[in-house]
Structures are given as structure tokens and as C-alpha cells.
Amino acid sequence: MPGARPDRRVRRTRDAIHRALVALMLEKGYDAVTVADIINRADIGRSTFYTHYTDKQHVLYATLDQLATFLRAHSDASGGRLFGFSRALFEHVHEQRDLLRALLGRRGGTVVHTRIRQVLTDLVRHDLEPRTGTNAVVPIDIAVDSVVGAYLALLSRWVDDNEPRPPRDMDLAFRQLIIPGVVASLDLTNPAIGPTTGTGQTKRTAHHTSGTGTSTEITDEQWTEQPGLRRPFL
Amino acid sequence: MPGARPDRRVRRTRDAIHRALVALMLEKGYDAVTVADIINRADIGRSTFYTHYTDKQHVLYATLDQLATFLRAHSDASGGRLFGFSRALFEHVHEQRDLLRALLGRRGGTVVHTRIRQVLTDLVRHDLEPRTGTNAVVPIDIAVDSVVGAYLALLSRWVDDNEPRPPRDMDLAFRQLIIPGVVASLDLTNPAIGPTTGTGQTKRTAHHTSGTGTSTEITDEQWTEQPGLRRPFL
DNA sequence: CGTGATACTGGACAGTGTGTTCATGAATGG
DNA sequence: CCATTCATGAACACACTGTCCAGTATCACG
């Protein structure tokens, strides 16, 4: 049964390995970290490592799965707001800065980006697909890719920033930069970008966004902490 | 003198090494390629490799420098059009698909993305900086990052596509997805997005894009081949 | 064509990292 | 308390790296 709590020694060992990897990634970058490094830092025997993980990568994957779970949970709980994961993820990264910098930042590995890109791509597609209008002028796959690309670029740069801006500002900037083009290109119906006043009003012209007032204003309202999910994923 | 043409043997060797690396990257991905692989494929002696390059990476850098040169040339020659590099790069990649897929695609290395990101970031910043208005609501660095992130995401996915869309469509999609948000967020003056009819008219409101008609319509007009630059960069 | 300069060869070598195996000893939880 | 499970550390085969060197082939140029 997967719910069964493993042996205390196992927990200790896995935890030590995990902590060692994160610390080393912050120091040398993922690529430069060697299994021997991890073993020394975690102060465990060589064979012990290989009974738990096959690889350096394997350790990373274990961590990433938890991040993916966290992401999906927050997306589901976002009340259907467009790009609901965004604010939550910025907030989470803010609180777990060291860990996430190790993963997402300059020194993180390709693996991490690939994996997170997959997860985000799924989330964004589920966000956009049901809202796409009949007059879309850009294939949805392409829209999804560009949204995810832009978001990941912001996030990656942000974690490496020494004096980071508040998560709220990052989320707002992302929305203001990305949403207008997506709305126009996909002929989005009821973007539900800001408050709950979305009236189901449909946009007609794809090229020229004629502002309709408050219902599509890009703000950070409707943001409330989700206590049950705020527990860091690690 | 750097212009002097190197010894024929040197040319032959360097070329063989370069071709071997690209071929192997397409087969196994950059990370999995070993120096021994390159040597075998290029059919040269081990020590020969090390007299020309210090590394696997070194070979890659040599290739990337040429790509960077190509990019800058095309950006300068774009007549000041916003994101002038975009169409040119899509076209170029289209013609050199195999090579560029090796570099930019799924199997390419982190190094490539990092380097190209740098180059594109410079280009985009030089595009946006002089046009930024006084009512910008997003820091220019963040806007640049998101534009580059979105563009690279599109490009990377595109090179791995088996039935790729025409470069023109990709360029258009990129513009339609990205430009509206950037115009609004940076309060861009005279975006010069489409034809030359830009009147220098200044937008006032950052949040609501009230369409002004043809001057900011997003098209692919004003695209002309630049014969002097169409020579592949390799 | 001849010759001095330059480049390629291929094998040997030390160094570093990987992943497996196994006998031994220690901690765990019921 | 004790059967079970886990950790240890050393030894081993393997793969890749980067350097060195003496011998050989190819080049550019007068």
C-alpha cells in the first residue's frame, strides 16, 4: 500500500539525499553535481544511494512529482479563473525560494524545465480550450506554447533575482502582457480575467479589442489564500 | 590575421567535426553525445580533436556564434519594424531545418537555449526600449523576458514539428499573440507593427486598447527577402 | 619539384565518475 | 526479543575525459 509510512531509516536516508541534492544544485548547478557529491554531502554509503535511486535524475524526478501535484491542486482550486495557477505558483515560489531557485533557476537542469513545461502546458490548455471562440485566428497549441513560454521565462528569471518583486506584481505583469493577445487571437469568450462580473459577453472581432469596461479589466482581485493547500509541497 | 583562410587540412577536420556533432545530436541528443562518438563519426584521431577544440561545448559555441551573427544582421536590416528578426529567423530555420532542429529542438542542449536567449533578449530590448511610452505599467525587463520566452517556445516546438506550418503563419501568430499585451503594458508609441502608415500617434490608456484602425493592424506586409543575407549562416 | 612548416595519427596513461555486488553489522517495528 | 529490513564500505569492471609524444602524412610556397 502506498500510504504506508516507510521505515524510519528509509525516511532519514531519502531526506538526506534530497537535501544534499538541492544544496549542491544551488552551489554548482545540477549538471556539475555528481553522485559522489551527493553521497558525501548526505553522508551515506554509495550502495545505499543506489538502493533508493537509480540516478541523479531519479532523485530530481521524485522532487518534481511533488511540484506537479502542488500545481494541479492549485489550478483546480482556482475557481476557473483564467491562468489561476499563476498567482498561486508565484506565491509558493516566493516562500520556497531556495528550493525553487535550485530547480527553476539558471543552475537548474533541462529536465526540470521540460517536466514543468509539460505540466503547465496541460494546465493552460485546459484553461483555454473551453473558452476558445469560433473566430480564433491562431491554433490553440501555438497559443498555449507561447503562454507557457512567457510564463516560464518570467518565473525562471524571477527566482534568480536578488531583489525580487512581490509575487502579486509578477502575476499582474504576466496577465497584462499575455492576456490581451490571447483574448484577441483565440477569440476568447468570457475570459473571467478579473472580478466575478463576467457576464458571458462574447467578443466578436478578433483583431481590435474594443474595451468593454470592468468585466475584462486585468487585476489581481479574487485572490484568496487557500489554507489547505498552502502547505509547501516539500 | 583572422581573415586568412586556414590550411585545407584544418578546414577538412573542423568541418568533419562539426558535421559529426550535428548528426549525432539529431540521433541521440546533445547530452548523450560523447567526444569519442564525434571522433568515430568524423573519422579523426583523438588528439586531433583536442588540438582544435577543448570540449564538446566548444564545438557547439563555434556554431552558435555564427547563428548569433546571422540574427543580428537580420535585425539591423529589418528597417526598424517591431520584432523584425522574427520572420527572418522563421524563414531561416525553415531552410536549415535539420541543423536548427539539432540545436533548438528537444534534443538540443541547455547551452544553446541560454545563448540564443541572450541574443534575442538584446534584440528585443533594443526594439522595445525606444518605443516605451510614459505610461508603461510593466517594467521593460519583464516585458522583454516574456516576449523572448514566448518566441523561443514557439520556435523550439516548431522545429520538432513533423508537418510544420509555414514560417509566415508562425510569424503572424507570434505577433498576434504577443504584440497586443506588449503595446498595452509598455504604452508603446508608434509600434510600426504593420505597414509604414504609422503616424506617430500615441496611445494614452494602458489598460484598454481602443483600436485605431490600420496603423496598428498586425499583418505580415513589408516582408521582403534580403538576398545578401539569405545565405545560410553555415 | 623540393623542402621546411604544419597538421594528423594512434596508442598509452592517469584521473574521475558510474553502477553493481557482497559479506558484515546495525536499526527497526511488531 | 528477534526476524526482518536497511545501511555500510570496499572491491570491481566499465566508460569517458584530457594530455602527451614520436612517427607519418599533407600542405603552402619559393
Side-chain angles (χ1 to χ4, degrees):
Chain A
M1 196 173 283
R5 201 141 174 255
D7 194 311
R8 184 191 304 158
R9 292 167 292 181
V10 174
R11 271 179 283 141
R12 202 203 75 87
T13 301
R14 294 221 172 107
D15 212 58
I17 289 177
H18 169 260
R19 260 203 301 275
L21 177 61
V22 170
L24 287 164
M25 282 175 70
L26 284 171
E27 292 172 17
K28 320 169 62 172
Y30 175 75
D31 288 334
V33 174
T34 160
V35 175
D37 288 338
I38 300 177
I39 288 167
N40 289 333
R41 182 65 62 99
D43 196 30
I44 59 168
R46 179 168 195 74
S47 44
T48 306
F49 177 90
Y50 284 107
T51 61
H52 290 282
Y53 300 101
T54 68
D55 256 346
K56 203 171 76 171
Q57 276 212 17
H58 193 195
V59 184
L60 202 54
Y61 278 139
T63 301
L64 287 180
D65 282 343
Q66 302 179 276
L67 178 55
T69 304
F70 170 87
L71 260 182
R72 274 188 271 264
H74 263 288
S75 180
D76 291 348
S78 68
R81 188 170 184 242
L82 187 60
F83 306 149
F85 63 88
S86 166
R87 178 68 183 265
L89 186 49
F90 275 123
E91 296 283 351
H92 181 69
V93 169
H94 191 59
E95 293 167 11
Q96 303 283 311
R97 183 155 281 265
D98 278 354
L99 171 62
L100 275 292
R101 188 173 68 240
L103 296 178
L104 287 171
R106 213 177 313 121
R107 329 203 60 124
T110 319
V111 201
V112 186
H113 277 263
T114 306
R115 184 82 186 90
I116 292 186
R117 194 175 290 268
Q118 284 172 353
V119 175
L120 284 179
T121 299
D122 285 351
L123 292 184
V124 170
R125 172 172 291 117
H126 281 75
D127 256 18
L128 292 182
E129 222 152 32
R131 294 183 232 242
T132 301
T134 51
N135 290 326
V137 293
V138 164
I140 191 170
D141 284 0
I142 291 188
V144 170
D145 281 348
S146 83
V147 170
V148 173
Y151 187 80
L152 260 180
L154 291 191
L155 196 61
S156 306
R157 178 82 52 143
W158 189 57
V159 293
D160 277 330
D161 202 334
N162 285 331
E163 296 173 4
R165 302 169 211 280
R168 178 183 169 283
D169 291 4
M170 295 301 297
D171 175 55
L172 210 58
F174 167 66
R175 306 185 104 82
Q176 284 169 328
L177 281 165
I178 294 307
I179 289 180
V182 174
V183 168
S185 302
L186 292 186
D187 185 29
L188 285 203
T189 60
N190 186 20
I193 293 163
T196 52
T197 59
T199 57
Q201 190 177 8
T202 305
K203 293 206 177 305
R204 285 290 144 72
T205 61
H207 280 186
H208 305 118
T209 313
S210 50
T212 57
T214 55
S215 76
T216 56
E217 197 163 358
I218 300 176
T219 69
D220 70 333
E221 288 189 44
Q222 205 184 23
W223 164 255
T224 49
E225 294 257 331
Q226 312 252 352
L229 293 166
R230 289 241 55 78
R231 166 179 40 79
F233 71 89
L234 280 182
Chain B
M1 197 177 284
R5 202 143 171 255
D7 195 311
R8 184 191 304 155
R9 292 166 292 181
V10 174
R11 269 178 286 143
R12 199 202 80 84
T13 301
R14 294 221 172 107
D15 213 58
I17 290 177
H18 168 260
R19 261 202 301 275
L21 177 61
V22 170
L24 288 164
M25 281 175 72
L26 284 172
E27 292 171 18
K28 320 169 61 172
Y30 174 75
D31 288 335
V33 175
T34 160
V35 175
D37 289 336
I38 300 177
I39 287 167
N40 290 334
R41 182 66 62 97
D43 196 29
I44 60 171
R46 180 166 194 73
S47 40
T48 306
F49 177 90
Y50 284 106
T51 61
H52 290 282
Y53 300 101
T54 67
D55 257 343
K56 204 170 74 170
Q57 276 212 18
H58 193 196
V59 185
L60 202 55
Y61 278 140
T63 301
L64 288 180
D65 282 344
Q66 303 179 277
L67 177 56
T69 304
F70 171 86
L71 261 182
R72 273 189 272 263
H74 262 287
S75 180
D76 292 348
S78 68
R81 191 173 182 241
L82 188 61
F83 305 150
F85 63 88
S86 166
R87 178 69 182 264
L89 186 49
F90 275 123
E91 295 284 351
H92 182 69
V93 169
H94 191 59
E95 293 168 11
Q96 303 282 311
R97 185 158 279 268
D98 278 354
L99 170 63
L100 274 293
R101 187 173 70 242
L103 295 179
L104 288 171
R106 214 176 314 119
R107 330 202 60 121
T110 319
V111 201
V112 186
H113 277 262
T114 306
R115 184 82 186 89
I116 292 186
R117 194 175 288 268
Q118 284 173 354
V119 175
L120 284 179
T121 299
D122 285 352
L123 292 183
V124 171
R125 173 172 288 115
H126 281 76
D127 256 19
L128 292 181
E129 221 152 34
R131 294 181 232 241
T132 301
T134 50
N135 291 326
V137 294
V138 165
I140 191 169
D141 284 0
I142 290 188
V144 170
D145 281 348
S146 86
V147 170
V148 173
Y151 187 79
L152 261 180
L154 291 191
L155 196 61
S156 306
R157 177 84 51 143
W158 189 57
V159 294
D160 277 330
D161 201 335
N162 284 331
E163 296 173 4
R165 303 169 211 279
R168 178 183 169 284
D169 291 4
M170 295 301 295
D171 176 55
L172 211 58
F174 167 65
R175 305 184 104 82
Q176 285 169 328
L177 281 165
I178 295 306
I179 289 180
V182 174
V183 168
S185 301
L186 291 186
D187 185 28
L188 285 202
T189 60
N190 186 20
I193 293 162
T196 53
T197 59
T199 57
Q201 191 177 7
T202 304
K203 294 200 177 310
R204 286 290 144 72
T205 61
H207 280 185
H208 305 117
T209 314
S210 50
T212 57
T214 55
S215 77
T216 56
E217 198 162 358
I218 300 176
T219 71
D220 70 334
E221 287 189 45
Q222 207 187 19
W223 163 255
T224 50
E225 295 257 332
Q226 313 251 353
L229 292 168
R230 288 241 56 77
R231 166 178 42 82
F233 73 88
L234 279 183

